[in-house]
Amino acid sequence: MMEDRLSELRELAKAVERAAEAIAVMRKRAKRHYVKGDVPKRQRPIMRVDVGSVQLEITDKQAAALLVVKGGGGVEILNTVARVTGLNSKLALGLASQLAEMGLVELVAAPQRKILVLTPLGWKVAEAVERELEKKA
């Protein structure tokens, strides 16, 4: 009976060790797939927006993302932004990070998805982008 218990404990210890190794591998992969908020060279600003004392240069993808979030009432899931802007989820996360660094959105990580929430500055910039696009149309 004691030998059975010892055998179970050894198997449990091996399982815990394998789980710890799997977690370490997943953490390494997650770090490798994180996209910084730098604008890729192929993205050039299409407009300059002045909101109060803040002047921002906005790319076409950033403008589209802001308008999608604004159209969703100021809250939108990252997958919707990715679909509308034509980006994969990794690039959409990079775009969301850019907007967060600019102070235009807050990126909220829920258990199953990531959510973009417009900040007050983000609302103003989204409205300014709409006005600029209407002028160009």
Side-chain angles (χ1 to χ4, degrees):
M1 189 137 249
M2 184 68 153
E3 288 178 27
D4 289 341
R5 182 73 179 138
L6 265 166
S7 178
E8 287 177 11
L9 289 174
R10 282 187 193 119
E11 289 301 316
L12 181 61
K14 288 178 185 176
V16 169
E17 187 177 322
R18 286 192 302 268
E21 289 171 359
I23 290 170
V25 167
M26 289 189 305
R27 284 186 178 152
K28 285 181 184 176
R29 286 183 182 172
K31 286 180 184 177
R32 197 171 47 220
H33 290 292
Y34 179 73
V35 178
K36 293 284 185 187
D38 299 331
V39 178
K41 292 178 183 175
R42 67 182 181 275
Q43 290 185 28
R44 299 286 181 232
I46 60 167
M47 67 181 70
R48 184 168 285 143
V49 178
D50 295 317
V51 179
S53 62
V54 179
Q55 185 178 39
L56 298 170
E57 291 184 338
I58 304 292
T59 67
D60 58 342
K61 300 290 186 189
Q62 291 170 340
L66 286 172
L67 294 178
V68 168
V69 178
K70 183 178 181 286
V75 178
E76 194 59 73
I77 60 173
L78 185 62
N79 287 343
T80 301
V81 173
R83 190 171 43 253
V84 171
T85 57
L87 298 173
N88 63 34
S89 59
K90 183 177 175 181
L91 292 174
L93 182 58
L95 176 65
S97 296
Q98 291 171 10
L99 294 172
E101 286 177 10
M102 296 167 75
L104 303 178
V105 299
E106 287 184 34
L107 185 58
V108 179
Q112 296 295 321
R113 58 189 61 187
K114 292 179 178 42
I115 301 168
L116 297 171
V117 180
L118 278 180
T119 63
L121 177 61
W123 272 104
K124 292 175 185 175
V125 171
E127 290 171 349
V129 166
E130 279 183 330
R131 286 191 300 273
E132 286 294 319
L133 293 176
E134 287 173 1
K135 288 179 189 177
K136 292 181 179 183

